[in-house]
Every structure is written in structure tokens, then in C-alpha cells.
Amino acid sequence: MTGRTDVVRELVGAHGRTYAEEAGIRLRDTPQPLYQLLVLALLLSARIRGSVAVRSARELYDAGLRDPRRMAAADWQERVDALGRGGYRRYDERTATQLGDGAELVSARWGGDLRRMREEADGDVGALRALLQEVPGIGPAGAGIFVREAQRVWPEFGPYLDAKALDGAQRLGLPKDPARIVELAGDTEPAVLAAALVRAALDKDVVEDSLRRAS
């Protein structure tokens, strides 16, 4: 019988790459990468393939739209074009508007520095999720994605597994209790564990591969 610890170990070993890493974000507790993560969370939260969201985020960054000031100053069509190059065409116009409005809000509300949001939340993950959802385009799913990845540099909000990560755990036959899953993962970073579980939730091949490796 395959052990649950073995399943988690093989899952993380083969598929434990955060979405920030995939998007080329060198995540640190500094304003620019945190804002890039917010943009990525917005894109990933739509009903669109994760690979398209990641590619579209990279296109926005490559266009120089890496901070809220530049995002807000960019022409709307410039944002649409960058999203289109990434394949984000179904939602490109609405998302381009949300990115502009969101950048303006982040600049006005937190001075363009999401570390001020962190301070305002004061270690309360529910408060952080609520603050994130003040940003246009960030709903419950987007807030969950941001916290899931940001716990790598904001550890007081972890260990955090969002609903999608728990879906992945269920597909792998792991416990429903987040604390128990974290325990099975041992020293694995919670952000890495969460990303691997999400990949399992989204791709049955990840589930099959992890179970095969653990058997």
C-alpha cells in the first residue's frame, strides 16, 4: 500500500514549483515582485489555463509593466496587446481595465507597496484576503492564490492551503485536514507544497505520476 508520506514526497519532488517561479518572479519581500505576484494571481484566477496566465504575466513584465506606476501609466491598448501575446484573449479587454484600475488603487491605498497591506493585515490571513479583494479583479480565488504563494516571504500567514490545493490533496487520497497534510510534508515549504497540490488538482497526469512514483 502506498504511504501518504511517500505520495507527498514524490509529488513535491516532481511537481513542487511555485507559479511565481514559473512566471519568472524572483519573489522577495520588496514592492516590485510582490506587485508582480498580485498581477499573476489576478490572471491565474480566471477560467483559463494556468500556462496561458503565466505566459501572459511574463508578457506584461517584458513590456515593462512590473510595478503599479508603470501599469497605471501604460495605455489600455498596450495592456491588451501584452495579454494577447500571452494568449489571454478571452478576457483581455476586461482584464486590461482591471489591471489599470488595480494599479491605481494599489498606488493610492498602499503607496504602491504591498508590504503596507501586510502590516495592515497584522498576521490575520482573513484580513489579508479581505484587503486583497479590494483590488479590482481579485476575488476569493485570486486572494487565495496570492496568499498561497506569498507565504514564502510572509510566513506569518502560513502554512496556508487554499481550496484548490485541498482539491489536489483529495485527488491524491491525502487527508482533508490542512494541518495533517503539512505534517506529512515534513520540512517542505508550505508555498511549494501548495503549488504542487494545485498542479495535482488541475492535471490528472500529475496525480497519476505522483502515485506511480510512490508505489
Side-chain angles (χ1 to χ4, degrees):
M1 179 177 178
T2 301
R4 290 171 167 178
T5 302
D6 295 332
V7 171
V8 174
R9 183 184 65 247
E10 296 299 337
L11 169 72
V12 170
H15 307 286
R17 187 184 187 196
T18 69
Y19 285 87
E21 288 173 332
E22 188 177 343
I25 301 171
R26 296 181 179 179
L27 192 58
R28 300 184 301 276
D29 188 27
T30 54
Q32 186 167 291
L34 290 170
Y35 176 71
Q36 291 174 355
L37 177 59
L38 184 70
V39 169
L40 178 63
L42 188 157
L43 298 179
L44 283 168
S45 64
R47 294 181 181 275
I48 200 163
R49 290 197 311 276
S51 59
V52 171
V54 167
R55 189 163 62 245
S56 299
R58 281 181 171 271
E59 290 290 345
L60 288 165
Y61 309 151
D62 289 347
L65 309 183
R66 301 185 185 93
D67 60 57
R69 179 183 62 80
R70 291 171 181 163
M71 185 68 80
D75 182 81
W76 176 82
Q77 189 62 51
E78 185 179 353
R79 296 192 293 267
V80 170
D81 290 346
L83 291 169
R85 289 193 297 273
Y88 208 88
R89 294 186 179 86
R90 183 178 175 187
Y91 305 101
D92 55 354
E93 295 187 357
R94 183 183 69 179
T95 301
T97 299
Q98 291 172 335
L99 287 169
D101 292 345
E104 291 178 2
L105 177 71
V106 169
S107 295
R109 180 87 161 74
W110 296 287
D113 187 348
L114 292 175
R115 293 177 299 182
R116 297 182 182 181
M117 179 190 287
R118 177 188 187 180
E119 293 173 2
E120 191 173 340
D122 194 26
D124 183 334
V125 71
L128 177 61
R129 285 175 54 89
L131 290 168
L132 287 162
Q133 289 178 73
E134 292 184 21
V135 179
I138 299 289
I145 293 166
F146 183 92
V147 179
R148 190 177 80 210
E149 299 265 328
Q151 66 183 320
R152 196 167 209 177
V153 291
W154 292 356
E156 69 271 28
F157 298 108
Y160 179 82
L161 302 179
D162 64 355
K164 186 62 73 175
L166 294 177
D167 286 346
Q170 184 176 22
R171 294 185 70 179
L172 288 159
L174 298 174
K176 297 179 181 179
D177 179 11
R180 184 78 184 96
I181 301 170
V182 170
E183 182 182 347
L184 289 170
D187 294 333
T188 300
E189 286 185 67
V192 172
L193 171 63
L197 289 170
V198 168
R199 294 181 189 281
L202 297 174
D203 188 346
K204 67 178 182 180
D205 290 342
V206 171
V207 175
E208 293 172 357
D209 177 66
S210 300
L211 293 175
R212 177 183 57 78
R213 288 172 181 268
S215 62

